[in-house]
Amino acid sequence: MGNITPRIEIAPGVKAWLTAADEIALEELGLGDSTDDCGHVQGSADLREHRTHPHLFRITANGRQAVADAA
């Protein structure tokens, strides 16, 4: 899993900040989610009792596949 930095490149040499609306849209599309290092999605039941792990916004497997399909 990789982390999404708040700054993304939208065109060669053009950078923009990832907004809360961008994160929500990626979550709704199933392309991103706030997960911990064990894959627990923030807000869902944590079966591993790892509540101290930080949750970071990350691209999901579906998101990585969408990028690969678009390339």
Side-chain angles (χ1 to χ4, degrees), residues 1 34-42 44 48 53 55 58:
M1 293 182 143
S34 292
T35 61
D36 64 15
D37 288 339
C38 296
H40 168 247
V41 176
Q42 190 169 16
S44 68
R48 294 185 193 95
H53 287 337
H55 287 79
R58 306 168 197 243

Side-chain angles (χ1 to χ4, degrees), residues 18-36:
L18 188 67
T19 67
D22 296 327
E23 289 185 12
I24 290 168
L26 289 169
E27 287 175 344
E28 288 179 356
L29 293 169
L31 303 177
D33 232 327
S34 292
T35 61
D36 64 15

Side-chain angles (χ1 to χ4, degrees), residues 3-21:
N3 297 337
I4 297 176
T5 60
R7 195 173 73 185
I8 58 174
E9 189 164 329
I10 56 175
V14 178
K15 296 189 176 19
W17 293 101
L18 188 67
T19 67

